[in-house]
């Protein structure tokens, strides 16, 4: 079945460091891919998305490129801030009219001042 | 614009007591609705989803149930809570485009349940 695997955390970085959180997926067909962010004590918010191969999603300085050849959707940011500390979830949605978005386990990011 | 609310935000219940968590969506009609559970330090587990009033699909066997009495209302219930029911419960809705779900989810603020 479809699945999402993302790097285990926690990831601890200093402010202004470069961030990469790896995400790979297994799916039949051509799923849509998402990154969600969860700040402490809150629900998840959509951070960015890509719906087809080679699409790049971007938002708030974060970027991720849909790589079909490597089945990856790695999240990157050039310079993290303390306010980026949160849990990041990679997810996929099968484009088959189904109703199930599949989430990775989440990666906790700590950014130190 | 669309909004989603769930309550209560925090709940502490004894083992064996009943549970009712409520979720409502505003600003859209006939949304697909979901209940997820997030155990401490873990990912999201889909519990139930609904494509319309009275239509509930269960993803995992458990002592929880869900109901959708109105188009934009989704309720998570239990008759007798277990310790293992503790967690962070998230309601979500998903828009449709061209008759297909977009896959994009909009989450409520979450309800933290502690069973003692």
């Amino acid at each position: 079945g479809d699945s999402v695997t993302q790097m285990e955390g926690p990831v601890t970085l200093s402010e202004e460091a470069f961030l990469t959180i790896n995400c790979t997926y297994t799916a039949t067909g051509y799923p849509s891919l998402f990154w969600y962010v969860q700040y402490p004590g809150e629900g998840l918010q959509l951070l960015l998305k890509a719906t087809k191969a080679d699409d790049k999603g971007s938002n708030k300085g974060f970027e991720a490129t849909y790589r079909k050849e490597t089945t990856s959707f790695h999240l990157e940011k050039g310079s993290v801030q303390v306010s980026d500390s949160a849990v990041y979830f990679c997810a996929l949605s099968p484009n088959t009219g189904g109703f199930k978005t599949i989430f990775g386990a989440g990666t906790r990011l700590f950014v130190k001042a | 614009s669309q909004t989603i609310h769930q309550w209560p935000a925090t709940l502490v219940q004894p083992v064996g007591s009943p549970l009712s968590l409520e979720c409502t969506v505003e600003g859209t009609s006939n949304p697909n609705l979901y209940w997820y559970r997030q155990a401490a330090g873990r990912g999201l587990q889909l519990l139930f989803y609904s494509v319309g009033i009275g239509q509930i699909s269960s993803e995992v066997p458990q002592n929880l149930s869900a109901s959708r009495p109105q188009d934009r209302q989704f309720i998570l219930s239990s008759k007798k809570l277990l310790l293992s029911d503790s967690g962070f419960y998230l309601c979500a809705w998903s828009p449709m485009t061209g008759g297909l779900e977009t896959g994009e989810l909009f989450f409520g603020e979450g309800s933290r349940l502690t069973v003692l």
Side-chain angles (χ1 to χ4, degrees):
Chain A
D2 297 351
S3 66
V4 174
T5 302
Q6 58 182 109
M7 63 188 290
E8 290 188 21
V11 173
T12 303
L13 297 173
S14 297
E15 209 166 20
E16 300 183 4
F18 184 85
L19 168 71
T20 299
I21 299 178
N22 291 336
C23 171
T24 56
Y25 68 91
T26 302
T28 55
Y30 303 93
S32 293
L33 301 174
F34 306 87
W35 277 101
Y36 288 84
V37 58
Q38 183 180 32
Y39 298 103
E42 299 183 7
L44 278 71
Q45 304 172 28
L46 179 66
L47 181 61
L48 54 84
K49 66 179 180 181
T51 58
K52 61 183 186 295
D54 299 326
D55 268 2
K56 177 185 283 188
S58 61
N59 186 25
K60 299 181 181 179
F62 291 90
E63 294 183 339
T65 301
Y66 189 142
R67 301 285 189 200
K68 186 164 178 60
E69 63 276 13
T70 55
T71 61
S72 64
F73 193 54
H74 305 322
L75 182 67
E76 296 181 337
K77 186 175 185 182
S79 177
V80 294
Q81 305 300 312
V82 172
S83 57
D84 293 327
S85 298
V87 181
Y88 292 83
F89 291 90
C90 186
L92 73 81
S93 177
N95 284 336
T96 56
F99 303 101
K100 304 176 189 179
T101 296
I102 298 167
F103 287 86
T107 301
R108 183 174 295 276
L109 170 66
F110 291 105
V111 180
K112 302 180 296 183
Chain B
S1 63
Q2 301 88 2
T3 58
I4 178 170
H5 297 290
Q6 57 177 111
W7 67 93
T10 305
L11 198 60
V12 180
Q13 292 287 96
V15 170
S17 63
L19 171 72
S20 181
L21 301 179
E22 189 165 342
C23 172
T24 59
V25 180
E26 299 293 333
T28 187
S29 59
N30 196 31
N32 290 339
L33 296 174
Y34 303 82
W35 278 111
Y36 283 87
R37 176 168 60 199
Q38 184 179 21
R42 300 179 65 179
L44 277 73
Q45 179 186 35
L46 178 62
L47 301 176
F48 301 95
Y49 69 90
S50 171
V51 302
I53 295 174
Q55 300 180 61
I56 309 295
S57 295
S58 174
E59 289 298 296
V60 292
Q62 59 207 324
N63 70 321
L64 299 172
S65 62
S67 62
R68 185 169 177 175
Q70 299 181 42
D71 181 45
R72 290 169 291 181
Q73 183 184 28
F74 204 25
I75 298 171
L76 183 69
S77 303
S78 174
K79 293 181 179 178
K80 290 186 176 182
L81 284 168
L82 306 173
L83 286 174
S84 58
D85 291 325
S86 293
F88 193 51
Y89 289 82
L90 291 160
C91 182
W93 74 276
S94 180
M96 304 277 282
T97 299
L100 292 178
E101 189 184 86
T102 65
E104 186 173 331
L105 293 170
F106 296 90
F107 286 86
E109 306 93 335
S111 298
R112 185 164 302 284
L113 170 65
T114 303
V115 182
L116 302 175

